[in-house]
Amino acid sequence: MAVGPSRDASAGTDRRAVLGVCALTVAALLVRFVDLGGRVAHWDEGRVGFWILDYVETGQYTYRPIIHGPFFHHVTPFVFDLLGTTDAAMRVVPALLTGLLPLVALLFRQRLDDAEVVSLAFFLGFTPLVVYYGRFMRGDPVVGAFMLVAFALFVRFVDTRLYRYLFTGVAFAALGFTVKENAPVYVLCWLGGLAVYGYLLLFAARRAGERPIRSWLRARRDHVASYDWSSPQRPDGGEGTTGWRASIRQHLDARNPALRALYSLGIVALCSLLFLAIVVLFYAPRGSSGVTIGTTLADPLQFPALVEEATLGSFDAFYDLWGDGGQSEHAYLPYLEHLVGTLGAGALVLSVLAVVGFLSDSVREGGARPLVVVSFLWGLASVFGYPVITDIKAPWAAIHVVVPWTIPAAVGMGTIVRWGRESLAHDDRVGVGLAIAAVLLLCAFPVYVTYDTTFANPQAESNDLVQYAQPAADVHPEMTAIERLAERNEGTDVVLYGDSLVEGDPIYQRPTCAGNKGWFNALPLPWYLERADAQTACAEDLDALDSVESGGEVPVVVSTLEHRAELEQRYPDYTVTVRGMRLWGSEWVFLVDTSRFPEGENPLAGVESSSVSGEDPSGAVNGSGANGGPVGTPPTDGGTASGTTSPTGTATVSGTATSIDTAATSVTQTPTLTVPGTTTVMANAERSPASTRVAAFHYG
């Protein structure tokens, strides 16, 4: 593979290309925000959403590595203040950040030609996987966005030598570190890609009989001796900055290596302080007791302890949970297969064009560009690396491959555009027609997939971009009913019933009575209960329910399907709906006293209960799940699960399972798991791209 210059010979971007990028950005923002709250909150969104509301209410925050970085905790409350606590408001930040991503293409305008710049903007704006999870409150798309912007700014700094790009790049990289703990993996991929490219340069030079390192050192010596440091070169060849910054440079003797080294160390120190300041600002604890920002403002002598807690303390907490690799102990090939399958489902065109772009750039006249080589290797390393470090098979992991591959994919699309232009210049009508058809098809296909996965079927089991813990049903009418009844009702508003939604010891998270296992089984319901300020009680059986209702019937009862018959008998006048609260196999029953609504204000009017296959009057579900297990109890990852459903609706599953402790900061392995009826206590699970369904706990 030939390796070429750092810049494309056609550096610079036409005004039409800039307008094209801006138009694509506007379109990407529209796609991100249309019906943003239409999808019911995912299990993970509900969990993080609850903790954000808890921080808003209590003012207390401490880094919890199980829910990743503090970025959403500190930014999302501003959105809630402006727009209210809704599913749409919860997703505004990732939607805005990923919607603006097409503008990043302009930072590469010295490295890519016009067609490639516009193509890059298109892939950043309309790759189906990026669109789907850009409308999802999850750290992966946001850390990917921040780290891509940082990478682009660093490249821009290399091209212009303007320090504003360097400092801004450091700030965005620091923000990436505040979102999720895999941000250092991005830096490692950058360094690895640069190392490989450097090796290729050395290899090519040695084959040509050159000694590049010696030549580089000699060139740097001559450069220091002759370069006018007071007027750094700009991309247009004009003069550098003037004023006090230029004055500082004029007082630096470019021929004195010691002064130049001191100047460089000063820049490194400024970058380090900027990075540290942002990290400490986000990771520092909040509250009125202990070492927090509030107590440190009152007692500045605590500042060193605050910095230590925000940095070393946070790292220790992260390492205690994730550092030993226990969270990601699994077979490698199934996870690799799942990631590749996700790329096929949500980024097929991009993945194919990334390979085409890398290969075509490798044989171009002048050699491969470092930007293309590094970004392709960055994505390739992510393909083989993330199956090692991820704890579950989740589609969002593929985002970390898609983000860097947008660059070589843009080069691949640019190759087709150039072919069309060359055909036009040679009056080759067939070639022009084929090029136009190819570009239209390659643009239309991801747009169609985006519509299908994000708007038409955002919660469907057939959608391979959907993770298992996404409710399959639209429960917004039930959640609206809870909110309206909580406003009107005095006393208990909602009862969680049954030993699946009520299980374990009391927990800090509200409703505390759900228990340290039941609370996670109930997600995303706690998010909706918390934002509605609903008074919630819990009852494991009818005797406990009698005690709860000693002062009168509650307006809403939520349980799992095996309790439907007994609850319908108890509440004959309540409206009953059955909803799938996971992608498959986990049905809940909602009983709502709609008689309490004024005429015309019933949110459940005209709402039909979702169908339940194999339902019988006793509330048990007949049938079998994956590997012969009961419906709603998929096998755990890395093993098999089997069991039977009794007439009382109790299923016993054997296999490997995971349970969470009361502090929700560590996990333990248990050999067996008993699941009441068709309701799985698995807090989260994943699906494979093939027909086999795999389930496992997920708290990260």
Side-chain angles (χ1 to χ4, degrees), residues 62-63 283-285 291 303-315 317:
T62 301
Y63 167 59
Y283 277 92
V291 180
F303 183 72
L306 181 72
V307 173
E308 181 181 2
E309 180 62 28
T311 54
L312 297 179
S314 297
F315 178 80

Side-chain angles (χ1 to χ4, degrees), residues 291-304:
V291 180
T292 68
I293 286 184
T295 58
T296 301
L297 290 175
D299 180 11
L301 294 178
Q302 285 190 157
F303 183 72

Side-chain angles (χ1 to χ4, degrees), residues 293-643:
I293 286 184
T295 58
T296 301
L297 290 175
D299 180 11
L301 294 178
Q302 285 190 157
F303 183 72
L306 181 72
V307 173
E308 181 181 2
E309 180 62 28
T311 54
L312 297 179
S314 297
F315 178 80
D316 288 342
F318 159 76
Y319 189 83
D320 288 343
L321 180 63
W322 302 101
D324 61 359
Q327 301 291 339
S328 55
E329 291 181 354
H330 50 67
Y332 176 77
L333 289 180
Y335 277 63
L336 176 62
E337 179 186 359
H338 180 269
L339 190 147
V340 173
T342 301
L343 290 174
L348 179 61
V349 168
L350 179 141
S351 300
V352 172
L353 283 178
V355 176
V356 172
F358 172 72
L359 295 177
S360 64
D361 202 68
S362 299
V363 297
R364 68 191 287 272
E365 183 179 355
R369 288 166 286 184
L371 174 65
V372 181
V373 175
V374 171
S375 58
F376 180 79
L377 294 177
W378 168 9
L380 191 64
S382 299
V383 169
F384 293 102
Y386 275 89
V388 176
I389 63 177
T390 52
D391 58 338
I392 68 165
K393 287 187 262 183
W396 51 67
I399 288 175
H400 307 296
V401 179
V402 169
V403 165
W405 271 5
T406 54
I407 297 173
V411 173
M413 184 72 85
T415 300
I416 298 175
V417 172
R418 285 191 295 274
W419 169 45
R421 289 173 176 171
E422 292 172 0
S423 298
L424 182 63
H426 292 86
D427 199 24
D428 180 2
R429 297 183 180 180
V430 175
V432 172
L434 290 175
I436 293 175
V439 170
L440 291 176
L441 178 63
L442 292 173
C443 290
F445 184 75
V447 170
Y448 167 75
V449 175
T450 293
Y451 167 76
D452 181 60
T453 55
T454 299
F455 297 101
N457 301 291
Q459 300 173 218
E461 184 179 349
S462 60
N463 185 348
D464 287 326
L465 301 188
V466 182
Q467 205 270 343
Y468 166 76
Q470 172 66 52
D474 181 10
V475 295
H476 280 130
E478 287 82 357
M479 299 304 106
T480 301
I482 290 174
E483 290 182 0
R484 293 181 182 177
L485 288 170
E487 292 175 357
R488 294 181 171 89
N489 187 55
E490 296 292 337
T492 302
D493 304 311
V494 180
V495 169
L496 302 183
Y497 179 77
D499 54 3
S500 178
L501 301 183
V502 184
E503 182 181 7
D505 298 326
I507 193 172
Y508 168 81
Q509 295 96 300
R510 295 171 296 278
T512 60
C513 60
N516 61 309
K517 296 180 182 179
W519 191 87
F520 291 96
N521 298 338
L523 284 168
L525 188 58
W527 149 253
Y528 291 104
L529 295 176
E530 185 71 11
R531 81 181 200 187
D533 196 22
Q535 298 298 313
T536 306
C538 305
E540 290 189 69
D541 50 37
L542 291 176
D543 290 339
L545 187 56
D546 289 337
S547 177
V548 169
E549 294 190 324
S550 59
E553 290 185 344
V554 296
V556 180
V557 179
V558 182
S559 187
T560 47
L561 187 61
E562 70 271 17
H563 298 294
R564 175 178 180 177
E566 60 186 286
L567 291 175
E568 281 188 316
Q569 184 177 3
R570 185 182 180 97
Y571 305 101
D573 298 326
Y574 280 32
T575 298
V576 180
T577 57
V578 177
R579 297 288 180 237
M581 294 302 290
R582 300 293 181 261
L583 196 57
W584 72 87
S586 181
E587 284 80 26
W588 294 7
V589 58
F590 294 83
L591 297 95
V592 181
D593 184 3
T594 53
S595 66
R596 304 194 186 201
F597 291 112
E599 186 176 354
E601 295 185 18
N602 178 11
L604 295 178
V607 175
E608 296 182 359
S609 176
S610 59
S611 61
V612 182
S613 176
E615 182 183 347
D616 65 28
S618 68
V621 175
N622 300 319
S624 61
N627 293 346
V631 172
T633 54
T636 57
D637 184 56
T640 61
S642 61

Side-chain angles (χ1 to χ4, degrees), residues 63-278:
Y63 167 59
R64 297 178 180 88
I66 201 68
I67 53 176
H68 303 303
F71 178 81
F72 283 120
H73 291 75
H74 300 317
V75 175
T76 309
F78 293 104
V79 182
F80 286 166
D81 287 341
L82 183 64
L83 302 177
T85 53
T86 65
D87 288 348
M90 176 173 62
R91 299 165 182 151
V92 162
V93 173
L96 179 63
L97 293 175
T98 61
L100 292 173
L101 268 182
L103 293 175
V104 176
L106 296 176
L107 293 172
F108 295 114
R109 59 187 180 272
Q110 280 191 258
R111 305 275 177 157
L112 304 173
D113 64 28
D114 290 348
E116 292 166 343
V117 167
V118 175
S119 298
L120 177 56
F122 172 79
F123 286 121
L124 289 171
F126 296 96
T127 297
L129 185 69
V130 177
V131 175
Y132 186 90
Y133 284 104
R135 296 161 51 91
F136 192 111
M137 192 182 69
R138 174 82 194 177
D140 297 83
V142 177
V143 69
F146 281 151
M147 299 308 285
L148 178 65
V149 173
F151 177 76
L153 288 166
F154 292 148
V155 171
R156 187 68 176 161
F157 166 70
V158 171
D159 291 342
T160 64
R161 293 299 193 273
L162 296 175
Y163 286 109
R164 62 171 176 264
Y165 293 115
L166 175 63
F167 295 137
T168 310
V170 169
F172 272 97
L175 287 173
F177 274 67
T178 70
V179 177
K180 196 176 179 186
E181 298 84 353
N182 69 318
V185 177
Y186 278 79
V187 179
L188 292 176
C189 289
W190 299 344
L191 297 177
L194 287 171
V196 172
Y197 182 77
Y199 172 80
L200 293 174
L201 283 177
L202 290 175
F203 181 77
R206 294 292 291 179
R207 290 193 61 181
E210 301 174 0
R211 295 183 178 274
I213 296 179
R214 182 178 300 176
S215 300
W216 182 83
L217 291 174
R218 186 180 297 113
R220 295 307 302 168
R221 181 195 64 191
D222 296 341
H223 179 72
V224 170
S226 60
Y227 188 72
D228 182 7
W229 292 95
S230 65
S231 181
Q233 292 180 340
R234 287 175 175 255
D236 58 4
E239 293 297 323
T241 57
T242 60
W244 63 271
R245 287 175 293 182
S247 178
I248 291 176
R249 292 193 183 98
Q250 290 170 358
H251 286 83
L252 288 172
D253 186 354
R255 296 174 177 80
N256 189 326
L259 288 179
R260 292 305 309 167
L262 184 62
Y263 182 73
S264 300
L265 286 175
I267 296 298
V268 171
L270 286 175
C271 291
S272 301
L273 287 174
L274 176 61
F275 184 92
L276 181 64
I278 293 174

